[in-house]
Amino acid sequence: MSTIRLTMAQAIARFLTAQKTEIDGQVVPLFGGVWAIFGHGNVAGMGEALHGVRDQLPTFRAHNEQGMAHAAIAFAKASRRRRMMACTTSIGPGATNMVTAAAVAHVNRIPVLLLPGDVFANRRPDPVLQQIENFSDGTVSANDCFKPVSRYFDRISRPEQIIPALQRAMAVLTDPADCGPVTLALCQDTQAEAYDYPESFFAEKIWTPRRIRPDEMELAEAADLIRNAKKPFIVAGGGVLYSGAEKVLADFAQKHGLFVGETQAGKSSLPHDHQANLGAVGVTGTGASNALAEDADVVIAVGTRLQDFTTGSWALFKNPGRRIVSLNVQAFDSTKHNALPLVSDARVGIEELSRALGSWKAPEAWVSKGREEKTRWFDSSARFTDPTNAELPSDAQVIGAVQRTSSPTDVVVCAAGGLPGELHKHWKASAALGYHMEYGYSCMGYEIAGGLGVKMADPNREVIVMVGDGSYLMMNSELATSIMLGQKLTVVLLDNRGYGCINRLQRATGGESFNNLLQHTNHVTLPDIDFAAHAASLGALSLKVKSIAELEGALKKARDAERSTVIVIDTDPLISTDEGGHWWDVAVPEVSVREQVNTARKNYETALAAQRVGD
Ligand SMILES: Cc1ncc(C[n+]2csc(CCOP(=O)(O)OP(=O)(O)O)c2C)c(N)n1
Ligand SMILES: [Mg+2]
């Protein structure tokens, strides 16, 4: 056996360069790069190793470990999980800064390789700078925080351990059912230790995604159920996009007279103007999708985790006898709420289901209802997105302006605040992946860093990041990275002077406005933040616009600009779209001195009666 003597860190770097995938007939690197912020825990080991492979595997320097991991997650999501990135940090704060991002990837089922540095395996210099020191357990380090938010975790304390660890890591990262964050915590001294690695470990490997076909029994049962449906309805989740099943879904819907509601992760599975697409479903759903979802007797859930925003906290599907068929590559998701499981890749699963259904079609009365609801919703949506002469525009009116100046291949990126609900209802996505919403963890601060990852995944598409003032303030530092890397973003910053959506939620649950909008906080000076100046200081082009008309002009200019642009607009914190949508379970206090809370509690209890437990 021929061997090659390398440090553990050099072996990781070399191994990563050998992993490939095939996209549109072309073999490309599986890892699009490595994000790195160095400290004593990784600069000597991983730093030296990454420098050695910099021509095959680029290293990118970010400004915040959470931000860089968000960029890596967005890159993988925008690449349909077919390509990914790695992230290396120092020990201690650099590592734990990345834990929140690990949770983002875990919830959203997105592959990312996290390589935090760890304390010395030999323990000789203990405690080193940033070592947390657990009094009762010598095996614990700060990196144990990654365990509940990693699909695979290992701590590497001998150089040869990296051989099985990387093989397991690859099995997880490339598995469509299990993929998510993999954390390999790399002891600092071990990174620098040498070992005679077998050459075969570094052989080129081309990863092609596995397509699990449905089990015959499950398929027959699902087809029987659907064939007897009078009111079938499809819920399309992120799995449709990850599987590349958009065309198959469109054909399936057309052939069998079915309508589709899209989850946050599934939006852009069908173009907005496809006749089968009724738009968003659930808490932030369109009136059209929700009308059909409420009445459906068979819900065909494709590639969705069925989270509360999709199921209206399990009160949306109101037909008493309704059944769910859950077509999902992950068995864990396929049996939720007594669903009939159909464990399969979305594309082949839909194809086989269609074949099993033969010439069956949904009843005509149901099909006409879908058509009418679609027309009704799109007429009412325009009332919210068209400009008015109100002093402050609503979020929906800003969305209208972005939509009017956008082109069909643009990608809109967002994650938290009031915008995800408004975008889900109103954004008209044309091309697949044109809607990138992180709404599994809905992590404030994902937006700009995520936009950067989306841009790196497909630099030919214009990326428009929509972000609230709160999320912008929480994490904006990768805006500077976008300029450094020449990865241009257009950022539309909606300044409603605080946490607008939570203030509205607080009021809706009977609370007094408190601690959300800046005016309702404890303060000596009411903040008056000049976001345009802030963005300019990071190197972006920036301006503040005073009207929807000015916004449209600025958006057109930003499209032609080479550098990232931040456009700031003041918006009304109190307005959101009051049509469409569905009840959401947010627990209201059972006793309170506030009359408004007691009233909200009564309404809450009435709403809870519609919630289906288990079925
Ligand atoms: C990291 C993180 N912390 C807290 C929350 C809870 N949260 C959701 S939206 C929101 C306010 C967002 O404010 P902003 O970005 O200004 O959007 P707006 O609500 O004003 O539309 C908060 C605090 C979250 N989603 N993520
Ligand atoms: Mg805000």
Side-chain angles (χ1 to χ4, degrees):
M1 181 179 74
S2 59
T3 60
I4 173 164
R5 192 160 178 79
L6 298 170
T7 67
M8 177 263 265
Q10 289 160 0
I12 293 176
R14 195 179 172 115
F15 179 89
L16 295 182
T17 62
Q19 310 309 307
K20 303 280 163 64
T21 190
E22 201 178 310
I23 294 185
D24 301 330
Q26 285 219 316
V27 174
V28 295
L30 183 72
F31 288 92
V34 180
W35 290 98
I37 293 182
F38 294 139
H40 72 94
N42 64 341
V43 69
M46 281 305 294
E48 189 268 352
L50 289 172
H51 179 258
V53 297
R54 65 194 179 284
D55 294 334
Q56 302 106 287
L57 180 68
T59 295
F60 305 113
R61 180 182 165 302
H63 293 91
N64 174 305
E65 290 87 354
Q66 184 185 337
M68 75 187 189
H70 284 170
I73 292 163
F75 176 90
K77 182 176 159 110
S79 307
R80 300 179 192 262
R81 309 194 300 199
R82 300 287 307 278
R83 296 191 71 209
M84 57 196 72
M85 287 177 159
C87 301
T88 165
T89 71
S90 188
I91 76 161
T96 51
N97 259 359
M98 206 160 57
V99 173
T100 298
V104 170
H106 195 275
V107 173
N108 289 288
R109 321 271 173 90
I110 303 293
V112 59
L113 179 59
L114 305 176
L115 303 170
D118 212 319
V119 297
F120 277 69
N122 67 24
R123 314 268 171 94
R124 289 209 299 253
D126 282 12
V128 297
L129 176 72
Q130 301 166 328
Q131 181 166 348
I132 56 166
E133 290 197 287
N134 185 305
F135 293 170
S136 61
D137 186 345
T139 69
V140 164
S141 83
N143 285 334
D144 285 75
C145 297
F146 283 100
K147 285 185 176 173
V149 285
S150 297
R151 291 245 184 268
Y152 179 67
F153 176 92
D154 206 347
R155 178 173 286 117
I156 310 300
S157 53
R158 291 184 59 88
E160 64 270 41
Q161 279 174 358
I162 204 67
I163 300 174
L166 277 172
Q167 282 164 346
R168 286 181 201 150
M170 292 313 299
V172 172
L173 291 168
T174 60
D175 186 310
D178 280 347
C179 73
V182 166
T183 303
L184 302 182
L186 309 175
C187 291
Q188 178 180 151
D189 49 345
T190 319
Q191 288 176 42
E193 252 175 76
Y195 181 76
D196 294 308
Y197 290 92
E199 288 257 22
S200 59
F201 181 56
F202 306 106
E204 182 178 283
K205 171 105 183 157
I206 300 173
W207 297 92
T208 42
R210 188 177 299 124
R211 288 200 185 272
I212 305 276
R213 308 196 87 83
D215 171 75
E216 277 178 26
M217 292 265 290
E218 286 188 355
L219 181 67
E221 259 193 277
D224 268 354
L225 192 66
I226 297 169
R227 222 178 277 118
N228 288 313
K230 304 275 175 295
K231 299 171 172 182
F233 182 65
I234 300 173
V235 173
V240 171
L241 291 162
Y242 301 140
S243 158
E246 306 93 81
K247 165 122 189 20
V248 168
L249 176 67
D251 294 348
F252 180 65
Q254 194 121 10
K255 179 174 164 206
H256 303 290
L258 298 166
F259 287 97
V260 178
E262 295 176 322
T263 71
Q264 286 279 16
K267 193 168 159 101
S268 82
S269 291
L270 295 180
H272 68 94
D273 52 1
H274 189 285
Q275 60 172 23
N277 190 358
L278 300 185
V281 68
V283 175
T284 51
T286 66
S289 269
N290 284 353
L292 268 73
E294 288 190 3
D295 214 10
D297 57 358
V298 174
V299 176
I300 310 167
V302 184
T304 163
R305 302 186 300 125
L306 296 167
Q307 69 142 310
D308 64 350
F309 264 78
T310 301
T311 65
S313 302
W314 289 108
L316 172 62
F317 309 124
K318 296 191 193 337
N319 187 325
R322 68 101 173 103
R323 292 297 311 274
I324 301 172
V325 174
S326 183
L327 195 174
N328 205 294
V329 72
Q330 172 55 265
F332 179 87
D333 296 306
S334 70
T335 52
K336 285 176 179 167
H337 276 247
N338 207 21
L340 198 66
L342 182 56
V343 176
S344 172
D345 165 71
R347 200 170 87 190
V348 297
I350 295 170
E351 271 170 353
E352 297 213 5
L353 203 48
S354 185
R355 211 169 298 135
L357 288 172
S359 59
W360 174 84
K361 252 186 135 108
E364 189 46 45
W366 181 245
V367 177
S368 349
K369 178 178 162 83
R371 284 201 199 106
E372 282 159 26
E373 294 287 356
K374 176 157 178 147
T375 313
R376 204 194 333 264
W377 171 259
F378 278 104
D379 290 348
S380 78
S381 168
R383 283 196 292 112
F384 292 94
T385 53
D386 284 349
T388 60
N389 49 16
E391 197 185 329
L392 283 176
S394 65
D395 289 359
Q397 286 162 353
V398 172
I399 290 169
V402 175
Q403 186 92 60
R404 286 189 292 279
T405 53
S406 68
S407 91
T409 57
D410 290 357
V411 188
V412 64
V413 180
C414 186
L419 278 166
E422 298 296 298
L423 282 164
H424 197 207
K425 279 184 186 174
H426 297 299
W427 185 256
K428 294 178 182 153
S430 294
L433 302 166
Y435 182 83
H436 185 114
M437 181 69 67
E438 190 285 284
Y439 213 63
Y441 215 46
S442 188
C443 187
M444 289 170 73
Y446 176 89
E447 298 86 349
I448 290 173
L452 174 59
V454 172
K455 186 71 179 172
M456 291 169 89
D458 190 350
N460 296 319
R461 292 176 86 158
E462 281 290 312
V463 175
I464 303 162
V465 174
M466 296 191 72
V467 62
D469 54 311
S471 290
Y472 179 91
L473 282 178
M474 202 170 275
M475 204 186 330
N476 49 62
S477 40
E478 302 329 320
L479 182 59
T481 317
S482 87
I483 289 144
M484 183 160 86
L485 293 176
Q487 301 286 1
K488 175 215 151 175
L489 307 173
T490 298
V491 178
V492 182
L493 194 165
L494 291 82
D495 182 5
N496 58 12
R497 298 149 308 281
Y499 302 154
C501 73
I502 307 296
N503 174 59
R504 294 195 298 271
L505 183 60
Q506 188 167 49
R507 303 292 305 209
T509 51
E512 180 70 62
S513 282
F514 167 61
N515 204 51
N516 283 308
L517 295 183
L518 295 172
Q519 58 172 312
H520 304 130
T521 56
N522 253 323
H523 59 263
V524 175
T525 306
L526 186 66
D528 180 17
I529 296 158
D530 186 343
F531 288 100
H534 180 275
S537 77
L538 296 182
L541 302 169
S542 70
L543 75 162
K544 178 154 185 174
V545 296
K546 297 213 164 44
S547 67
I548 291 290
E550 267 187 45
L551 172 63
E552 289 189 34
L555 282 163
K556 285 182 197 143
K557 265 178 107 173
R559 179 168 290 276
D560 296 331
E562 285 188 1
R563 211 167 358 136
S564 293
T565 304
V566 176
I567 307 168
V568 184
I569 184 163
D570 283 345
T571 52
D572 190 324
L574 300 178
I575 305 178
S576 66
T577 299
D578 54 9
E579 279 190 32
H582 187 273
W583 173 76
W584 181 36
D585 189 346
V586 175
V588 180
E590 209 166 344
V591 291
S592 171
V593 292
R594 280 177 63 77
E595 211 28 61
Q596 297 92 324
V597 174
N598 296 326
T599 307
R601 174 71 195 190
K602 281 210 187 75
N603 296 337
Y604 177 59
E605 285 172 9
T606 309
L608 276 181
Q611 192 171 46
R612 302 176 66 152
V613 183
D615 76 336

